[in-house]
Amino acid sequence: MVLANKLSLSIDKTCYSIVGCHDTTSILNNIPKLNDTFISRVDRCKYLGVMIDTELKWQSHIDIVYSKLLKFIGIFHKLRCYVSGYVLRLLYFAFVHSQLLYGIEIYGNTRHTQLNKLCVLNNKILRIIQNKPLRTPVIQLYQSYNTLPIPKLHNFHLLCLVFKYFNCNKKLPIIFSNFFTPNSKLHTHGTRGTNDLHLSSVNSFRGVKCV
């Protein structure tokens, strides 16, 4: 396909992963090749800024975001003595909130235990910026900035995607044109959930993360 479409790929930058497959014997016996060179297999790979791992736990991506945001603790500690609260709020949404928001529809769909370190760090940054004591309820920190904790932010953006699908479908990328399946397309019974979205049944944690 690469040659047929006259594409040029760097073998050193090309890799593959096996996701959600317990029995990899048949796959390993047919390792993909590019120009007669075997492509290397990896457990995680960055794609469009999101680190995808073979177990879909998103721990690698969360660790990367955590490392990026950790430096802002010291930065905001110093800045709050020199700039106004308005400027600090702008800086938070520009450098911290934007990092949390990118790909949250994907990485936010993981266990709370894995997401917890990022949530705690975000709480700490908000507390420092707003110069609030430790006993200040976390919910007040988010209400002051009119934003949401990471788990709720994940749910909110999923709901926004569903809303756009039903109300602004033509404005979404074409890949989302048939992204959701309503129950009415699967059966003709006049039930209360006819117009609801169909939820696939899964039996494993990895399956839940794939839905």
Side-chain angles (χ1 to χ4, degrees):
M1 183 178 293
V2 174
L3 296 177
N5 290 282
K6 298 182 180 181
L7 298 176
S8 177
L9 296 179
S10 173
I11 297 178
D12 294 334
K13 297 180 180 180
T14 304
C15 57
Y16 77 97
S17 297
I18 302 175
V19 179
C21 182
H22 295 289
D23 184 12
T24 60
T25 304
S26 60
I27 299 176
L28 294 177
N29 290 333
N30 296 279
I31 300 175
K33 295 198 302 183
L34 181 62
N35 296 334
D36 297 324
T37 302
F38 289 109
I39 299 175
S40 60
R41 177 186 174 187
V42 297
D43 292 328
R44 60 186 66 87
C45 181
K46 181 177 286 187
Y47 181 70
L48 296 178
V50 177
M51 185 65 73
I52 303 174
D53 60 274
T54 55
E55 296 184 352
L56 299 180
K57 291 183 177 180
W58 310 108
Q59 188 62 60
S60 299
H61 182 77
I62 291 172
D63 290 341
I64 290 174
V65 177
Y66 182 88
S67 299
K68 288 181 179 179
L69 299 185
L70 190 60
K71 62 184 178 183
F72 287 103
I73 290 180
I75 292 174
F76 282 123
H77 252 302
K78 296 176 181 179
L79 280 179
R80 69 182 183 182
C81 300
Y82 300 99
V83 299
S84 65
Y86 174 76
V87 174
L88 287 173
R89 187 179 189 276
L90 292 178
L91 292 174
Y92 169 78
F93 279 98
F95 296 104
V96 178
H97 192 263
S98 60
Q99 291 283 351
L100 295 173
L101 213 58
Y102 186 77
I104 195 171
E105 297 91 345
I106 302 173
Y107 81 82
N109 189 32
T110 188
R111 291 190 176 99
H112 290 295
T113 53
Q114 292 173 293
L115 206 57
N116 185 62
K117 61 182 291 185
L118 203 55
C119 295
V120 172
L121 178 61
N122 191 39
N123 295 345
K124 188 172 184 178
I125 292 175
L126 283 172
R127 197 180 303 277
I128 291 171
I129 293 175
Q130 299 178 37
N131 199 18
K132 298 292 185 180
L134 289 175
R135 292 189 177 183
T136 303
V138 173
I139 190 64
Q140 289 186 16
L141 302 176
Y142 288 93
Q143 287 177 343
S144 298
Y145 275 22
N146 194 28
T147 185
L148 296 168
I150 296 174
K152 292 185 178 180
L153 201 60
H154 164 68
N155 293 335
F156 174 73
H157 278 269
L158 287 182
L159 291 173
C160 287
L161 177 61
V162 175
F163 176 84
K164 292 177 182 177
Y165 176 82
F166 282 108
N167 298 279
C168 315
N169 191 280
K170 293 183 179 179
K171 294 183 179 181
L172 289 174
I174 192 170
I175 193 174
F176 292 108
S177 59
N178 296 306
F179 196 74
F180 300 104
T181 304
N183 288 327
S184 58
K185 288 189 176 181
L186 300 177
H187 63 76
T188 57
H189 308 301
T191 62
R192 288 178 295 178
T194 299
N195 297 320
D196 294 344
L197 295 179
H198 176 70
L199 300 178
S200 302
S201 299
V202 294
N203 298 318
S204 65
F205 171 77
R206 186 180 287 110
V208 172
K209 302 302 116 180
C210 291
V211 173

